[in-house]
Amino acid sequence: MTYTRRDALRLAALAGLGTALPRGALASEDFQALAARVAQLQLLPEGYPETEVWGYDGSIPGPEIRLAQGTRAQRRLLNELPQPTSVHWHGIRIDNAMDGVSGLTQDAVAPGGHFDYDFIVPDAGTYWYHSHNRSWEQVARGLRGALIVEEPEAPEVDREEVLILDDWLMDPDSGQIDDSFDHPMMMSHGGRTGNFITTNGQYNLSIPARRHERLRLRLINAATARIFPLALSGLEGWIVALDGMPLPEPLPVTETLVLGPAQRADLIVDITAEDGETADLVQQTEREALSQVAFPVGGSLGNARRPAPGALPPNPKMHRPDLGEARKLRLVMSGGAMGRMQSAVHDGSRKSFRELVSAGQFWALNDTVGMTDTPLAALSLGEPVRMELVNDTVFPHAMHLHGMHFREVSGDGALGPMRDTLLVGAGESREIAFVADNPGDWLFHCHMLSHAASGMTTWMRVG
Ligand code: C2O
Ligand code: CU
């Protein structure tokens, strides 16, 4: 996204940062290229033409980036697109300068330009990377990939599959991506949901498996607005991590697992379907059950199920914020179609809903549309925070905090698992708590990316 109003702030921030990191010609030997470019791919079934996509290294999804926990990632983004771009490393407890938010932590990289991303990955888990400039368009065009950080000791499984769930809004006549990215109807409703659903860029992904095989599935919802309600068929297993962070105990999958935009879940599953049958990861919508990924079963591995897996090793700094000490914040989401919003502050002045609509803005956080010069909150380093999230709209929102994970606070004050994105249903109120332990300017926004572009973006300063 571009936040031109904050140029002065951004430039001030960059001035202090440019020198600490290896850059320029010297760095080129160490930095592996990651080229954002236009490509033609057979995305739709045979018989349709190739589709023009924007992909990292021209591929859909982008190349998998896999690192050992605690090591350093060095990637040189080469912008070969016709638009400025930047890369955000979603869920990584990263150095603020490397967070990839154009207009807040860096300048967008102009076409033909490059930017060196250099950061440590402190936490093991399933993360992802995506464009963070005009993201509602650029992610929808394909700029997304998996970022996997391996535990020093991996859990015992026979193999692992990274499954990137996404969707595309296609023009069925031309076979090309629908380019009405700023369409008011999508922005003011549930966001841009596609009409063509894929896993790892394939609409019919099929992974042969054997009965009693144990798999780790790393699920990533990379769609710009779609919520995936998921179920298992011929597979039985446990959730072992959410949004990259290990759960204290594996949680058996007994009900629908709802994955909002940008959320991840690590599952350990056993193939329980018989030889000759097909197991499925199922997309369980209200109306129908669709196979998201098929696992045709051929042969078997041993003849019995294994005992339940243990928990993944915890990551460092999995804080449990002290709720009694915590600063209290409240964030009210309003606006959208069929909402109650009459007016809100935009670019420093109060505007009627009608004026906002003509400016392409539909949503507000605490009565304010989009980015502001001053942060929603200025937190001191190490400060515990609790924040009530009030959804006063008729749509769900996937609220994502950059740079730090939070825990949900339940009614009785218990703390849930660590997450970086929380799906808040229409009309719901939820509460999160976190320790502001990562210094810098951090975005907090809805990951329905057209909502983020039309008002649902704010930021907090730590330290
Ligand atoms: Cu995954 Cu600000 O985004
Ligand atoms: Cu939203």
Side-chain angles (χ1 to χ4, degrees):
M1 289 169 241
T2 319
Y3 309 113
T4 42
R5 294 184 56 249
R6 307 202 59 252
D7 280 1
L9 258 181
R10 167 185 34 84
L11 289 174
L14 279 176
L17 293 164
T19 47
L21 298 159
R23 270 165 210 282
L26 254 183
S28 62
E29 296 141 35
D30 307 327
F31 283 68
Q32 209 176 314
L34 183 67
R37 73 164 74 107
V38 180
Q40 309 286 332
L41 296 177
Q42 190 66 50
L43 198 58
L44 291 168
E46 288 304 325
Y48 282 92
E50 289 190 334
T51 300
E52 183 181 296
V53 297
W54 294 6
Y56 292 109
D57 292 354
S59 74
I60 299 294
E64 179 180 297
I65 299 180
R66 193 172 271 269
L67 299 156
Q69 183 174 11
T71 62
R72 189 169 181 180
Q74 293 182 307
R75 287 290 185 291
R76 170 166 290 190
L77 168 69
L78 306 173
N79 185 5
E80 297 169 14
L81 302 171
Q83 262 180 22
T85 195
S86 66
V87 184
H88 171 56
W89 314 91
H90 183 117
I92 301 292
R93 194 150 50 80
I94 204 168
D95 258 356
N96 192 239
M98 295 291 118
D99 200 37
V101 178
S102 69
L104 184 67
T105 66
Q106 69 168 94
D107 275 321
V109 180
H114 69 267
F115 187 90
D116 289 340
Y117 289 98
D118 185 353
F119 55 94
I120 305 288
V121 286
D123 302 309
T126 301
Y127 303 95
W128 64 301
Y129 64 98
H130 61 80
S131 158
H132 218 299
N133 189 61
R134 284 190 63 81
S135 60
W136 69 100
E137 169 177 357
Q138 295 192 358
V139 176
R141 288 190 187 273
L143 291 166
R144 44 197 170 195
L147 172 57
I148 306 300
V149 183
E150 293 184 330
E151 299 87 11
E153 271 187 57
E156 244 179 81
V157 293
D158 298 310
R159 72 203 152 103
E160 127 172 1
E161 298 288 345
V162 177
L163 301 173
I164 302 183
L165 316 181
D166 61 37
D167 70 352
W168 307 79
L169 186 59
M170 305 295 288
D171 175 344
D173 296 323
S174 64
Q176 300 306 310
I177 294 173
D178 181 307
D179 63 2
S180 57
F181 299 103
D182 298 304
H183 198 292
M185 181 72 173
M186 288 178 230
M187 290 203 150
S188 62
H189 288 70
R192 179 184 164 105
T193 40
N195 52 9
F196 182 65
I197 297 177
T198 59
T199 307
N200 298 346
Q202 285 174 256
Y203 70 94
N204 57 353
L205 183 63
S206 175
I207 300 172
R210 286 174 291 172
R211 180 168 158 81
H212 296 312
E213 207 176 356
R214 175 164 281 185
L215 281 68
R216 177 181 191 163
L217 306 180
R218 295 180 182 266
L219 308 179
I220 302 171
N221 182 352
T224 58
R226 180 178 296 275
I227 297 166
F228 284 91
L230 299 168
L232 304 178
S233 161
L235 296 167
E236 281 178 46
W238 301 262
I239 305 169
V240 293
L242 290 169
D243 294 351
M245 291 292 173
L247 300 187
E249 290 295 334
L251 188 71
V253 182
T254 51
E255 47 191 47
T256 309
L257 165 65
V258 177
L259 217 54
Q263 292 186 319
R264 289 89 64 214
D266 284 48
L267 308 185
I268 289 183
V269 295
D270 294 334
I271 305 276
T272 54
E274 304 283 341
D275 189 3
E277 292 179 350
T278 298
D280 295 278
L281 176 66
V282 175
Q283 199 206 140
Q284 185 71 57
T285 71
E286 272 159 40
R287 273 161 289 142
E288 52 190 347
L290 306 164
S291 175
Q292 180 74 30
V293 181
F295 299 89
V297 180
S300 73
L301 192 67
N303 46 23
R305 284 195 66 186
R306 277 166 268 184
L312 297 176
N315 279 323
K317 293 199 177 182
M318 292 185 67
H319 298 297
R320 307 188 69 83
D322 181 335
L323 296 178
E325 295 288 293
R327 157 137 42 152
K328 282 193 173 177
L329 300 172
R330 189 162 192 261
L331 190 79
V332 180
M333 310 162 211
S334 59
M338 299 166 280
R340 281 196 284 249
M341 190 166 91
Q342 305 282 326
S343 71
V345 176
H346 179 224
D347 277 344
S349 67
R350 181 159 293 278
K351 293 185 182 143
S352 69
F353 191 63
R354 204 160 47 86
E355 287 172 306
L356 292 170
V357 168
S358 51
Q361 300 295 313
F362 301 94
W363 307 92
L365 298 173
N366 287 358
D367 199 33
T368 305
V369 175
M371 287 297 273
T372 46
D373 292 338
T374 50
L376 173 77
L379 306 169
S380 35
L381 192 61
E383 185 173 14
V385 179
R386 55 195 293 182
M387 186 192 280
E388 200 188 345
L389 302 174
V390 181
N391 182 353
D392 188 20
T393 81
V394 301
F395 296 95
H397 301 289
M399 297 305 294
H400 168 49
L401 176 61
H402 282 221
M404 290 158 287
H405 278 61
F406 51 77
R407 294 178 189 270
E408 185 169 358
V409 184
S410 57
D412 57 2
L415 294 169
M418 292 193 95
R419 305 215 64 149
D420 61 42
T421 306
L422 181 73
L423 197 57
V424 186
E428 266 184 5
S429 282
R430 311 273 287 269
E431 193 184 15
I432 59 170
F434 63 98
V435 176
D437 62 354
N438 198 359
D441 291 348
W442 302 109
L443 224 51
F444 187 45
H445 66 92
C446 180
H447 223 288
M448 274 99 176
L449 295 174
S450 46
H451 292 177
S454 57
M456 296 195 88
T457 302
T458 187
W459 63 292
M460 288 186 268
R461 173 165 288 164
V462 177

